[in-house]
Amino acid sequence: MKIAIVGGTGEQGPGLALRWALAGEEVVIGSRSQERAEKVAAELNGELGQDRIRGLENARAAEAAEVVVLTVPYSAHLSTIESVRSQVQDKIFVDVSVPLDPEYPRRMKMPPAGSATEEAQAALGPSTRVVAAFQNIAAHLLRDPTHAIDCDVLVCGNDLEAKKTVMSLVGKMGLQAYDAGPAESARVIEGLTSILIRLNIRHKVKGAGIRLAGLPR
Ligand SMILES: NC(=O)c1ccc[n+]([C@@H]2O[C@H](COP(=O)([O-])OP(=O)(O)OC[C@H]3O[C@@H](n4cnc5c(N)ncnc54)[C@H](OP(=O)(O)O)[C@@H]3O)[C@@H](O)[C@H]2O)c1
């Protein structure tokens, strides 16, 4: 599977790239700057000991992939979606965004569409299949592939086959994915992150996650 990570040079993107590359997937790091994308790809390849990750400007990265993952700050959500709109038509688009209130990041500030995921689906149109995933995993946990992550991954979206593909990609990282329903479930999944942030602060930890009970694993 060819996976592009748009905005993959920051906190969340490199961990996803590293874990998928380790699982044998072909990964492209995207950035507004080709140079930054190449630099991060080279750093990650250094850790892998193999050249498995490429770096390209965002739109070219999206063009080169079958599955496009978005990891930019929510403030850049719609503008970045617009910048890759034509490259992601007929593809799976994985939205990792959490619309936290920039003035008080323990609180959600949901867009009028209901959630970032629904906003992305509305902006991209029906031929792009938007799937939400990874909102509840802290970046530093993803970034260290030598450690197992104590968190399940809730996946939602309106296209069953797209969700199955994304759940399989989650599974390749050694994580347990659950289909949490249609795109509107992202209102809850994205919102859970604000609770995890509060729990991190309350318990003076950095990696609070979620585990579902009573379901087959
Ligand atoms: N960090 C976490 O622990 C975590 C956990 C769960 C979910 N998330 C969600 O994942 C998403 C990414 O989080 P992150 O912490 O990885 O973000 P980040 O490190 O702040 O930014 C990621 C990348 O986005 C690009 N970017 C920054 N500002 C931009 C702008 N104005 N326009 C276009 N691109 C811009 C930058 O890449 P270039 O400069 O190279 O273009 C940057 O390296 C967010 O929506 C966040 O809510 C994060």
Side-chain angles (χ1 to χ4, degrees):
M1 187 73 74
K2 290 182 188 164
I3 307 166
I5 307 182
V6 169
T9 55
E11 297 291 321
Q12 198 77 337
L16 293 170
L18 204 51
R19 286 176 181 265
W20 275 321
L22 279 168
E25 305 299 330
E26 203 177 308
V27 183
V28 187
I29 291 279
S31 167
R32 287 168 293 179
S33 143
Q34 165 93 28
E35 195 185 348
R36 234 177 354 261
E38 284 176 1
K39 183 169 174 279
V40 171
E43 283 165 12
L44 296 174
N45 283 327
E47 284 179 43
L48 284 165
Q50 289 181 50
D51 279 355
R52 287 204 210 157
I53 302 176
R54 281 193 297 154
L56 289 173
E57 186 274 324
N58 280 330
R60 289 183 59 216
E63 179 73 50
E66 300 157 272
V67 172
V68 180
V69 182
L70 180 68
T71 58
V72 294
Y74 180 70
S75 57
H77 188 244
L78 272 180
S79 59
T80 308
I81 285 173
E82 204 46 51
S83 73
V84 296
R85 195 177 194 286
S86 62
Q87 288 81 8
V88 302
Q89 293 302 306
D90 302 321
K91 294 182 182 175
I92 296 173
F93 185 86
V94 181
D95 202 340
V96 183
S97 308
V98 179
L100 295 168
D101 184 343
E103 286 174 16
Y104 190 65
R106 295 175 215 181
R107 189 166 54 204
M108 302 304 296
K109 194 173 181 188
M110 289 301 197
S115 62
T117 304
E118 290 162 280
E119 183 176 61
Q121 186 65 76
L124 291 168
S127 83
T128 303
R129 292 163 292 154
V130 177
V131 176
F134 303 112
Q135 282 84 355
N136 306 139
I137 303 185
H140 71 279
L141 298 178
L142 283 170
R143 189 66 182 77
D144 180 0
T146 62
H147 279 91
I149 296 175
D150 191 15
C151 187
D152 292 334
V153 179
L154 295 175
V155 171
C156 74
N158 295 336
D159 186 282
L160 190 56
E161 289 309 312
K163 281 189 287 190
K164 281 185 186 164
T165 301
V166 175
M167 288 168 68
S168 145
L169 288 173
V170 172
K172 286 184 177 180
M173 290 183 182
L175 292 164
Q176 178 70 51
Y178 289 102
D179 181 347
E184 69 179 52
S185 295
R187 300 172 192 193
V188 177
I189 299 171
E190 294 170 16
L192 271 176
T193 305
S194 66
I195 296 174
L196 294 173
I197 291 170
R198 283 178 188 274
L199 289 169
N200 278 337
I201 294 165
R202 171 76 53 91
H203 294 275
K204 297 184 172 56
V205 297
K206 288 181 176 166
I210 55 156
R211 280 273 190 224
L212 297 189
L215 294 171
R217 299 196 73 79

